[in-house]
Amino acid sequence: MTRTFRRHLRLAFFLGGVGLHRLSAYRVDFALGAGAFLVRVGLQTAVVGLVFRQVPAVGGWTYHEVLFLLGFSLLPRGLDHLFTDQLWELGRKLVQRGEFHRYLIRPVNPLFSLLSERFFHPDGLGELAVGAVLVGWSGDELGLRLTPLQWALAPLLVVCGALIHTSVKLLFASLSFWTVTSLPSMYAASQVSEFAAYPLDIYHPSLRVLLTWVLPFAFTSYVPCVYLLTGAAGLVVWLPLVTGGALALALGVWRRGIDTYEMTGS
Amino acid sequence: MNDLTVPGRAASARRAPAARWRAYLPFATGGLQSLLQYRSTFVTTGVTAAAGAAVTVFLWRAVYAGSPPGGGPGGFTREGITTYLLMAQVLHILHANRVDDEVAAEVYRGDVAVMLVRPVSYPVVRLFSCLPVVAANAALVGVPVLALFAVLVPLTPPQPVDALLFLVSTLFSLLLAFLVNLLTGMTGFVTTNTWGVRMVKQSVVAFFAGQLVPLALMPRPLARVASALPFQGMVDGPLTLLLGRYEGVAGAADVLARQIGWVAGLGVLSAVLWRAALNRLEVLGG
C-alpha cells in the first residue's frame, strides 16, 4: 500500500517536472494563457469596484469583504486548475475519438494515468497568486486577526474547496463515457461555479440551496469565508462531509464510466 | 495558394449579384444541419446563459435594493436595471456565433486552404453559416431564458417605438459581433494559443460593451473610453434604445450612426487583414 503510494508520488513529481519543461518550449503560449487570466480577474475586480461606487454594502457585505471572498474563491480554483485540468480533454475528445483505452493498459491507476499526461498547468499559478494578493490585501484592510485555529484550518479549507471543484469536474467529464462528449455540460458547471465569487446572501433562496447542497460551490468560498471573517462555525462543520461525499460520488461515476467504455470497445 | 483564388474570385465577380448571393445559401443550410446534430447543446447553453444572467442580475438588484422608486444610481429603477442586465445577457447569447472558434480552428488546421479553391469569399461563407446558429440560439435559448426571468423578477416593458429601434439596432450589433469574432479568429494566423486570445476578447468585450456594468454607472473617464470603442454598440447601444434612455430623434440616430460606422470600419479592417493574411499563408502537408 505505502509502496504503491510512494511510487505514484515519485512518478507524479517526475511527470510534473516534465510538464514544467513545456514552459520554456511554449513561452508565448504560457504568457497568453496567464495574461488572459489576469485580464479576466482584473475586470472582475473592476466590476466589484464599480458596484461599490454606488453603495457601501451589498447583501450585508462591505467592499473589502467581497474582495476577500473573490480572492479566496480563486485559491481552491487555482489549486484544482494546477493539477487536474487534463479532465477537460476527457470531456472534450478522448472518448469521442476512441483514444481513452491507452489509460487502461498502463500499469497505474487510470485516473492517475490520465492526469499524469499533463500534471502541471502553470496557468493556475496566476490564479493562486492573484487570489493570495487579494486575500492578503483585503484581509489587511479589514484588520482581520485570525485565531491560531483559523490559521491551522485555512489551508485545509482551500484543499477541501479544490477537491470539490475537482469532484464536480470529474463527474461532468465522466459523463462523456455515456454522451461521447460532455464539454458543454462541463462549461455549464464551470459557469455555475462563478456564483461562488459573490456573497450567497444576494441570490434567490432556491439558488442558494442549489449552490450549497446540489453543486456545492458555496463550500469552496462562501462558507470558509464566513468562518474566517466572523468566526461563526455554522455550515463549515459540514465541509469535510460534503467534500467526502462529492469525491465519492464523482469517483463512483468515473468507475461506472470506465466499465461502460470497456464494454463498447471493439 | 494565392494563385488558386484568382480565377474563382474573377468568376464570382462576373456573375449577377442575385446568383452570387445564392452561392452562399448552401453554407447556411449546412450550418443548420451540423447544428441540429448536437441538440442537447442548447440545454447547456441555456443553463450557462441563465447562470451568467443570474450572477449580474442578483448582484445589481442587491445594489438597488434600497434605492428610491423614482430611480437609483444612473437613473435606473430596480426593474430598469434588471431589464437592462437580462436583455444584455440575451444579446450576449445572440452574439455567441462561434465564428472565432471555427475560423481559428480552420486556419490552425490548414482547412482554410480548401475554402480558397472555391469561388466564394471565405468571410462571407462564415457570415452565412453563422446565421442559423444565431437564429437557433435566439429561439431555443434566448426566449426561454427571458421567459424564466420574467417569471422570477419584475421587468420594465418597452415602448413600441423603442422596441422597434431596438430590433434595428440589434441587427447591427449582430454584425459587430460577427466582425469582432472574425478578427479574433484571424489571430489563428499568428498564434496557436487562440484559447487565451478568445478569453481576453470575451472578458474585454463583456466589460466594455456594458454587459456587466451599464456605461452610465462607470466613472466618466472609463465611460468615455468605453463609448469610443466598437463594443459599446453591441450591448449598451441597443439597450439605450430599448429602455428609451436617449434624447429625441437625434439621440436615437446617434446610437445607430455609431453602430453603422463601426460595422463599416471593422468590415474594411477585416477585409484588408484577411487579404494580407492570405498572402503570407503557408499550409503544410497535402
Side-chain angles (χ1 to χ4, degrees):
Chain A
M1 185 65 198
T2 45
R3 255 184 66 196
T4 41
F5 181 73
R6 283 232 302 274
R7 189 167 68 104
H8 278 74
L9 202 65
R10 236 190 11 246
L11 254 174
F13 265 103
F14 175 71
L15 293 165
V18 173
L20 275 177
H21 263 278
R22 290 178 194 235
L23 273 187
S24 49
Y26 300 97
R27 243 170 279 170
V28 178
D29 272 15
F30 168 62
L32 271 172
F37 176 75
L38 278 182
V39 169
R40 203 177 77 146
V41 179
L43 290 175
Q44 210 177 353
T45 315
V47 169
V48 172
L50 290 172
V51 163
F52 280 93
R53 270 183 83 235
Q54 319 296 338
V55 280
V58 169
W61 288 61
T62 64
Y63 177 52
H64 290 107
E65 284 172 345
V66 172
L67 278 191
F68 187 88
L69 180 66
L70 176 64
F72 191 94
S73 77
L74 295 174
L75 298 176
R77 194 195 291 268
L79 196 60
D80 162 63
H81 193 155
L82 209 50
F83 297 113
T84 69
D85 256 24
Q86 200 60 22
L87 290 173
W88 282 94
E89 294 294 298
L90 170 64
R92 190 164 73 93
K93 59 165 199 197
L94 290 177
V95 176
Q96 192 178 31
R97 299 194 189 158
E99 291 170 2
F100 184 76
H101 66 270
R102 69 168 181 252
Y103 305 100
L104 296 172
I105 55 177
R106 289 181 190 163
V108 286
N109 178 297
L111 184 56
F112 181 88
S113 175
L114 169 67
L115 294 180
S116 69
E117 198 105 307
R118 190 161 176 200
F119 241 136
F120 196 74
H121 292 251
D123 299 0
L125 287 176
E127 268 166 301
L128 285 173
V130 178
V133 168
L134 274 179
V135 165
W137 179 74
S138 55
D140 194 46
E141 290 285 315
L142 287 166
L144 193 65
R145 290 279 165 273
L146 295 185
T147 64
L149 180 65
Q150 282 175 322
W151 273 115
L153 284 178
L156 286 178
L157 299 178
V158 174
V159 170
C160 281
L163 287 174
I164 291 174
H165 275 296
T166 307
S167 305
V168 174
K169 198 156 62 171
L170 178 61
L171 181 94
F172 281 97
S174 302
L175 292 183
S176 65
F177 288 118
W178 291 276
T179 61
V180 179
T181 174
S182 61
L183 192 66
S185 58
M186 288 182 81
Y187 265 126
S190 93
Q191 178 74 44
V192 169
S193 78
E194 301 272 310
F195 281 113
Y198 304 98
L200 218 56
D201 310 77
I202 63 173
Y203 302 128
H204 195 269
S206 59
L207 204 54
R208 256 181 271 167
V209 173
L210 173 85
L211 290 169
T212 314
W213 303 114
V214 184
L215 285 173
F217 289 120
F219 284 97
T220 66
S221 56
Y222 175 80
V223 172
C225 282
V226 167
Y227 171 64
L228 292 177
L229 289 172
T230 68
L235 281 169
V236 87
V237 292
W238 291 94
L239 183 57
L241 204 67
V242 169
T243 310
L247 260 182
L249 183 67
L251 286 171
V253 172
W254 155 264
R255 277 202 204 99
R256 295 283 298 270
I258 290 185
D259 291 345
T260 316
Y261 186 79
E262 278 179 327
M263 283 192 291
T264 50
S266 65
Chain B
M1 205 63 265
N2 221 14
D3 291 343
L4 286 172
T5 62
V6 173
R9 205 172 280 155
S12 70
R14 271 198 304 275
R15 264 181 283 153
R20 216 161 79 201
W21 287 116
R22 210 172 301 141
Y24 293 100
L25 271 184
F27 294 102
T29 50
L32 187 64
Q33 275 161 8
S34 65
L35 193 68
L36 292 178
Q37 275 175 3
Y38 297 98
R39 260 162 289 190
S40 62
T41 316
F42 292 114
V43 178
T44 46
T45 312
V47 172
T48 315
V55 172
T56 55
V57 165
F58 284 115
L59 187 61
W60 282 101
R61 279 179 68 79
V63 171
Y64 280 79
S67 69
F76 286 105
T77 59
R78 201 171 184 209
E79 288 76 40
I81 192 88
T82 311
T83 313
Y84 180 102
L85 295 165
L86 188 57
M87 288 312 291
Q89 195 67 37
V90 170
L91 283 174
H92 176 65
I93 295 167
L94 301 185
H95 294 159
N97 49 32
R98 294 197 297 195
V99 170
D100 50 347
D101 280 25
E102 283 168 12
V103 173
E106 291 199 335
V107 168
Y108 178 60
R109 286 196 306 254
D111 290 355
V112 68
V114 181
M115 278 295 181
L116 299 182
V117 208
R118 297 180 183 158
V120 286
S121 148
Y122 179 75
V124 182
V125 164
R126 275 284 146 233
L127 177 63
F128 271 78
S129 53
C130 87
L131 290 180
V133 180
V134 173
N137 273 343
L140 300 175
V141 183
V143 173
V145 167
L146 191 59
L148 171 73
F149 277 86
V151 173
L152 288 177
V153 287
L155 301 171
T156 313
Q159 303 292 324
V161 184
D162 295 342
L164 205 66
L165 283 171
F166 169 74
L167 286 180
V168 175
S169 178
T170 298
L171 290 180
F172 291 121
S173 94
L174 293 180
L175 282 174
L176 279 174
F178 167 76
L179 288 166
V180 168
N181 277 0
L182 181 67
L183 285 165
T184 311
M186 278 162 61
T187 56
F189 283 111
V190 210
T191 169
T192 50
N193 186 346
T194 51
W195 172 84
V197 175
R198 276 185 285 133
M199 193 157 120
V200 169
K201 182 226 50 172
Q202 213 178 337
S203 321
V204 168
V205 168
F207 186 81
F208 286 105
Q211 185 191 324
L212 309 168
V213 180
L215 262 51
L217 295 177
M218 291 181 179
R220 184 148 300 194
L222 193 60
R224 211 170 281 159
V225 172
S227 56
L229 292 171
F231 315 123
Q232 182 263 351
M234 289 169 69
V235 175
D236 201 83
L239 291 179
T240 302
L241 297 176
L242 183 75
L243 296 174
R245 295 169 58 86
Y246 56 88
E247 308 252 332
V249 180
D254 179 53
V255 172
L256 292 174
R258 272 164 194 260
Q259 284 185 309
I260 295 168
W262 275 115
V263 167
L266 292 182
V268 170
L269 179 67
S270 50
V272 170
L273 285 181
W274 181 256
R275 199 152 298 175
L278 289 191
N279 283 333
R280 51 165 297 222
L281 176 68
E282 279 177 50
V283 175
L284 302 175

